[in-house]
Structure formats: C-alpha cells, structure tokens
Amino acid sequence: KESRDHHVLLQPHVLYVSTKQRGNGLLKYIRNVPYAFSKMVPDYIMTSQRCALFLSIKYHNLFPNYVHRRIAELKTDFKLRILLVLVDVEDNTNVLLF
C-alpha cells in the first residue's frame, strides 16, 4: 500500500521517488541530490508540501485520463504540484490540451 504519511518520514535534502518510477530513464539525470525509493502516491516528493507527477506524452496519448486520475489521488496533499512532462513524440502541438 502507498503511504500518505509523507510528512512524517521525510529527511531533509532527499528526493523521494515512488517505487513505480524504478527504471525511469529520468533518474540518471538526477545528480548532486540523494534519492530514496518509497511506496507513495506521487511519483516524486521534494518536501512535505511539494511533489511531482511524471507523464510521458506517449503514455498520455494511450491513456488520456491517467493524469487526471493521478492528480485526484493526491487529494488535498501538497501545496505545490508539478507535472513533469517527457515530450517523447514528434507531433506534440496539441497533445497537452486537457
């Protein structure tokens, strides 16, 4: 089960990464910041009030409601929510029009 107790478990200066992101190529570009895998609702937690969700445009094209469901899963947690988008398609002009 994914933990909602993110505010209790956080250590300063650590990026928390969802276990669902294991194998994401993005992680090789994260440098100078230690990160730890954890079962949690968002894909990344930077602080107790800041998180990020990861979205591949290819995946979004296949499952357009996915990002809406993920945002809803956050409920009222986090004051700042970042959508980290990987543009991995050639024709990306109208893709992010929700």
Side-chain angles (χ1 to χ4, degrees), residues 11 14-19 22 33-38 40 43:
Q11 296 176 16
V14 174
L15 173 66
Y16 288 88
V17 180
S18 170
T19 53
R22 200 178 295 272
V33 177
Y35 61 88
F37 288 102
S38 180
M40 55 193 197
D43 295 324

Side-chain angles (χ1 to χ4, degrees), residues 2-95:
E2 296 167 339
S3 175
R4 296 195 80 77
D5 297 328
H6 54 272
H7 59 283
V8 175
L9 306 173
L10 294 181
Q11 296 176 16
H13 312 293
V14 174
L15 173 66
Y16 288 88
V17 180
S18 170
T19 53
K20 293 184 270 185
Q21 293 297 305
R22 200 178 295 272
N24 185 333
L26 174 72
L27 295 175
K28 67 183 174 187
Y29 298 105
I30 297 175
R31 301 182 188 150
N32 302 321
V33 177
Y35 61 88
F37 288 102
S38 180
K39 288 187 176 185
M40 55 193 197
V41 176
D43 295 324
Y44 302 92
I45 295 178
M46 290 76 77
T47 71
S48 63
Q49 294 299 316
R50 294 172 178 89
C51 75
L53 297 175
F54 177 81
L55 180 66
S56 156
I57 295 298
K58 282 184 185 177
Y59 195 84
H60 179 65
N61 283 337
L62 294 172
F63 306 99
N65 292 323
Y66 170 79
V67 70
H68 299 288
R69 181 180 57 80
R70 292 297 312 279
I71 291 169
E73 288 173 353
L74 295 175
K75 299 186 179 185
T76 60
D77 296 343
F78 305 102
K79 290 183 180 179
L80 177 64
R81 302 164 175 200
I82 297 168
L83 182 59
L84 183 58
V85 178
L86 172 63
V87 180
D88 52 357
V89 296
E90 289 296 320
D91 181 18
N92 54 42
T93 307
N94 295 318
V95 175

